[in-house]
Amino acid sequence: MSTFFAAFIILMLFFLLMSVGYIIKKKAVEGSCGGLGVLGIEKACDCDDPCDKRKRRMAESERKAKLEQNRII
């Protein structure tokens, strides 16, 4: 039982230190290696044709980018 309490306390200290770091730096926790973009992989799946849900998201982001680009103010 003492092993459980020791592990629990260490875990709580870890979370406490991470939260203090977040509060001080105001920066979210993120990976250090850059993810799939570093490897040149644009998407997580290996399919040639993206699914309908991804196509809708891509079209929506392109539409938002065009609107932002054509803004007058």
Side-chain angles (χ1 to χ4, degrees):
M1 193 69 165
S2 63
T3 305
F4 172 76
F5 285 125
F8 184 74
I9 290 172
I10 290 172
L11 187 64
M12 288 299 116
L13 284 174
F14 176 73
F15 283 124
L16 176 70
L17 290 173
M18 283 181 53
S19 63
V20 169
Y22 174 76
I23 291 169
I24 291 173
K25 289 189 175 185
K26 303 279 190 212
K27 189 175 178 184
V29 177
E30 59 186 37
S32 61
C33 63
L36 294 175
V38 172
L39 300 174
I41 300 173
E42 188 174 322
K43 55 185 178 176
C45 63
D46 291 335
C47 55
D48 295 328
D49 190 32
C51 62
D52 293 335
K53 187 176 179 182
R54 181 166 174 88
K55 285 180 184 178
R56 281 193 302 268
R57 279 195 317 239
M58 290 168 53
E60 182 68 22
S61 66
E62 287 177 15
R63 186 185 68 80
K64 284 182 181 180
K66 274 187 176 180
L67 285 175
E68 189 66 32
Q69 183 182 14
N70 294 332
R71 281 180 74 176
I72 295 173
I73 296 177

